[in-house]
Amino acid sequence: GENVEQHPSTLSVQEGDSAVIKCTYSDSASNYFPWYKQELGKGPQLIIDIRSNVGEKKDQRIAVTLNKTAKHFSLHITETQPEDSAVYFCAAMDSNYQLIWGAGTKLIIKP
Amino acid sequence: EAGVAQSPRYKIIEKRQSVAFWCNPISGHATLYWYQQILGQGPKLLIQFQNNGVVDDSQLPKDRFSAERLKGVDSTLKIQPAKLEDSAVYLCASSLGPGQYQPQHFGDGTRLSIL
């Protein structure tokens, strides 16, 4: 079955700098890759997603890239702000249309 | 658009007691999911409903967990009897349908502590 690995587990960046979180997946049939942001005491919030027929997608300061050949996808956050501090999860949708989740990355924005 | 509603937000019980969680999905969403999230981990799917039918409950510990979605809208998840390892956040999510490219939208969960 599908397996998703996410790195790093913790990422600390200076406010205003960029942050990059990387995920790899194992099942080449996976074709939908969402990213979720989870703040303390809240449920995961969808922030961006990408389909397998697209290599890159942007939404203001957030972008996701997908390399189907290498089976990895990444989240890029530019001009980081204190409110970006949270746990970020990547996921891949398997052939049963179920999400397989990464272990999460705790993003810390230093003032 | 109202989001996914869950209650209660917090619950503390002793082991071997029973507990129930309630979820109201986004209006019009046919697919409903219950996840278990243990501290420091990603969500783990427990059960998926399509309308009022079960699509997948392969990871639901059926000796103690049960779930229903009788009218295809609200859902309840029950644990009886609870074990210490059931301490977790129970998340409900919904989507328009079960197919590919259908984003899942989450509620804020119920945090369960077992004493």
Side-chain angles (χ1 to χ4, degrees):
Chain A
E2 175 65 282
N3 182 54
V4 175
E5 294 191 357
Q6 183 172 348
H7 300 280
S9 56
T10 304
L11 178 60
S12 184
V13 301
Q14 205 70 37
E15 182 179 348
D17 288 350
S18 295
V20 180
I21 302 170
K22 299 181 179 181
C23 290
T24 60
Y25 60 99
S26 59
D27 187 353
S28 56
S30 292
N31 56 18
Y32 173 67
F33 307 92
W35 284 90
Y36 285 85
K37 174 184 180 182
Q38 188 171 27
E39 296 175 282
L40 202 59
K42 301 277 191 179
Q45 176 192 6
L46 179 69
I47 56 172
I48 197 166
D49 55 11
I50 191 166
R51 302 180 183 186
S52 58
N53 58 348
V54 175
E56 183 176 2
K57 183 177 177 181
K58 276 187 176 181
D59 183 3
Q60 299 180 358
R61 295 187 297 109
I62 293 172
V64 57
T65 59
L66 172 65
N67 184 326
K68 282 203 69 178
T69 303
K71 289 189 279 188
H72 66 71
F73 56 114
S74 300
L75 177 72
H76 304 252
I77 305 174
T78 59
E79 301 172 9
T80 53
Q81 300 169 4
E83 53 265 36
D84 295 330
S85 292
V87 178
Y88 291 80
F89 290 96
C90 65
M93 184 167 281
D94 70 9
S95 53
N96 293 318
Y97 306 130
Q98 292 179 356
L99 291 180
I100 308 302
W101 296 72
T105 295
K106 183 176 183 179
L107 178 61
I108 300 166
I109 308 300
K110 297 180 290 186
Chain B
E1 174 183 82
V4 176
Q6 289 189 248
S7 67
R9 286 300 316 277
Y10 306 93
K11 192 73 179 178
I12 301 173
I13 62 172
E14 295 186 348
K15 59 182 179 184
R16 291 188 290 274
Q17 286 188 324
S18 63
V19 64
F21 315 124
W22 173 81
C23 172
N24 182 242
I26 293 172
S27 179
H29 280 198
T31 308
L32 185 147
Y33 312 80
W34 282 103
Y35 287 87
Q36 180 192 60
Q37 186 176 27
I38 293 172
L39 190 64
Q41 298 182 17
K44 170 191 163 187
L45 180 67
L46 292 175
I47 189 167
Q48 177 183 343
F49 290 95
Q50 175 66 16
N51 296 311
N52 60 350
V54 175
V55 173
D56 185 348
D57 63 358
S58 57
Q59 297 195 80
L60 188 74
K62 297 180 190 63
D63 57 335
R64 298 183 301 105
F65 286 64
S66 65
E68 59 183 15
R69 193 185 184 199
L70 292 175
K71 296 182 179 179
V73 180
D74 293 7
S75 177
T76 55
L77 176 70
K78 296 179 182 177
I79 307 175
Q80 182 181 14
K83 290 185 174 181
L84 291 175
E85 63 257 34
D86 298 333
S87 291
V89 175
Y90 290 85
L91 296 164
C92 179
S94 69
S95 65
L96 276 172
Q100 59 184 341
Y101 313 144
Q102 293 291 348
Q104 296 180 21
H105 302 272
F106 285 79
D108 285 336
T110 296
R111 182 175 298 274
L112 175 65
S113 297
I114 312 294
L115 303 179

